[in-house]
Structures are given as C-alpha cells and as structure tokens.
C-alpha cells in the first residue's frame, strides 16, 4: 500500500489515487495514478490504467494470481474491470461512501452472479490514504 500511496502522491492535477498490480510472485507488474485530467479520458482511473499496463506486460488480459493494490475503494467501472481481468486479490485503502463499489454503495466484486470474485481486503492504511484525498480537496 505504501507504494500505491507514493504513486498517488505524484499527481498534482488529478484526484490522488494510486494503483499497483503485483504478479503472483509479488513483483510489481504495473503502477498508475489517475490520468483523467492529463489525458482528457474519463476512463483514466488509476486501477484501469494499472490493469491495462499489467496485461500488456504479461501479454494477456487474464491477471489470475495477481493483486491490485489501490489507495481508494474502486468505483463500479474499476470494480468491473478487475473482475473481468480475473484479478485474484484486491487490497484497498480508504472507503468511498459516495461511489465505492466494493461494499460502500455497491458490491460488484462479491456479486454471486458474476463468474469471478476476487479476495478483498479493505481499509488498509485507511487514514493515510484518506489524508491524500482530504488534502487534495482542501
């Protein structure tokens, strides 16, 4: 999580969210921060970018055995993307009561109607991750 926080801290223009993808062996496959403002792309969320980069690095879209670590509870788009990418484990920091889709507002990743459900660990270094957001929005 500290690596994801460091990635989030590098953004000065966009909401400071950082995401990393770890391979099955624990090595870092990809890292990304939000790039919506930089690219003008509404799908430029840290999680989606990290998933795209990790898939490109491993050479396939399935990220089985991989872990996504992100500083903020994923939204519906990002939660859907990690399910579709078959990410095995999700670790996130701060809860997002307004748009969170991993238990706060919805629970996309645990929906039994879907064909993949990652293991989830939420609230990791929550206060540090939340502080990034509070500081940004002041």
């Amino acid at each position: 999580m500290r690596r994801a926080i460091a990635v989030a801290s590098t953004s000065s223009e966009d909401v400071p969210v950082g995401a990393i993808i770890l391979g099955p062996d624990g090595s870092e496959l990809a890292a990304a921060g939000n790039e919506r403002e930089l690219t003008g792309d509404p799908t430029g969320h840290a999680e989606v970018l990290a998933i795209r980069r990790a898939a490109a690095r491993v050479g396939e879209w399935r990220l089985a055995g991989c872990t996504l670590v992100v500083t903020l509870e994923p939204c519906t788009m990002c939660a859907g993307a990690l399910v579709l990418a078959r990410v095995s484990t999700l670790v996130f920091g701060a809860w997002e009561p307004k748009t969170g889709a991993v238990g706060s507002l919805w629970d996309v990743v645990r929906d039994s109607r879907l064909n993949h459900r990652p293991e989830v660990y939420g609230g990791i270094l929550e206060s540090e991750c939340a502080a990034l957001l509070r500081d940004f929005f002041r």
Side-chain angles (χ1 to χ4, degrees):
M1 184 60 73
R2 294 207 187 281
R3 170 73 174 121
I5 290 170
V7 170
S9 298
T10 63
S11 174
S12 61
E13 295 180 23
D14 213 324
V15 177
V17 176
I20 60 169
I21 302 272
L22 303 173
D25 65 354
S27 64
E28 185 177 307
L29 296 176
N34 277 347
E35 294 182 6
R36 293 174 309 164
E37 297 297 331
L38 177 68
T39 62
D41 179 359
T43 68
H45 289 206
E47 302 95 309
V48 169
L49 297 172
I51 288 168
R52 288 177 185 160
R53 293 170 187 168
R57 181 157 180 201
V58 300
E60 68 171 294
W61 62 268
R62 289 178 193 87
L63 297 176
C66 293
T67 299
L68 170 61
V69 180
V70 61
T71 57
L72 183 65
E73 178 184 4
C75 68
T76 52
M77 175 183 66
C78 295
L82 73 95
V83 167
L84 292 173
R86 309 299 194 272
V87 171
S88 296
T89 305
L90 167 65
V91 177
F92 70 88
W95 292 88
E96 174 48 279
K98 294 180 182 177
T99 62
V102 186
S104 288
L105 194 55
W106 296 285
D107 202 347
V108 172
V109 299
R110 293 185 193 93
D111 191 319
S112 62
R113 296 168 293 181
L114 298 176
N115 63 343
H116 177 74
R117 285 177 294 287
E119 194 169 348
V120 177
Y121 301 93
I124 308 303
L125 296 180
E126 181 177 6
S127 57
E128 290 179 49
C129 293
L132 288 169
L133 298 164
R134 271 193 313 277
D135 292 347
F136 179 78
F137 286 108
R138 284 187 188 182

